[in-house]
Amino acid sequence: MSAPVSVPAPTTASVLRQFYALTKPRVVQLIVFCALIGMVLAVPGVPSLADLQQGALACLGIWLVAGAAAAFNCLVEKGIDAKMKRTAWRPTARGQLSDKQALTFSAALCAAGSALLWFTVNPLTMWLTFATFVGYAVVYTVILKPLTPQNIVIGGASGAMPPVLGWAAMTGDVGPEALILFLIIFLWTPPHFWALALYRVEDYRKAGLPMLPVTHGNEFTRLQVLLYTFILFAACLMPFIYGMSGWLYLVVAIGVSIGFTGYAFALWRNYSDALARKTFRFSLIHLSVLFAALLVDHYLQ
């Protein structure tokens, strides 16, 4: 009879990597980037040293709270994550971290980030960031996602908040410019996420989640992706129309919006998983390039 194989205890470094993975680093990086856009656009001209310091503290606080929301999401959805190829690697889904560890980690990050924002930035930013945490971690994850195929539309409000948080961090209020940025991300989220859901539909069906391709089918979802890109196109012109940006931004916005709409139209006409993947990837390029153009244009005006 062979001796049982001993499993080596996890090292401190591996445990830290597991906790870091709970924060969904790539998603949080995009959140902080969008918040940074709001911060930069809220400050006329070249930021002062005090502006840079406040922006850095705000980015750190927002990163901590966003990471807390991501960790809580991993905890709540560990059973669902374990059934899906895209998420089965997460430490909570694999049982590498206990519920207590994940919950404690999430609570610690949220408390640290909220305290940092309250004491070093301003209370409005703290409350808006905490409301975003509740909106994503509780309203979207616990209530909307398992109940309605419109989960990503309604829950997208939380994902659209980062520029508003950044604007509030630098000005202490929420201006119409911040709301325009909010609207762009809010309208971008459904076609971005549904493109992913189209080629991951079997994962969502297996997990029992009522995502739009599961409940309404492939063809209906493709039509919704196309229609949303039309509305998003119009929203992307609003920074120029309102006077937030100049001609450079307008040219870039038209270019990437035509690209996104073109992918959506091709997807609607002739579906393939490969094209859905390309559409999803281009949606990430669309938002990143759009906001980068806003940044560059801001300093050229």
Side-chain angles (χ1 to χ4, degrees), residues 6-21:
S6 60
V7 179
T11 64
T12 301
S14 68
V15 172
L16 290 176
R17 281 194 296 269
Q18 290 165 12
F19 277 117
Y20 181 64

Side-chain angles (χ1 to χ4, degrees), residues 185-200:
I185 301 178
F186 181 74
L187 293 173
W188 170 87
T189 301
H192 159 75
F193 199 87
W194 284 334
L196 168 70
L198 279 167
Y199 68 86
R200 294 288 189 182

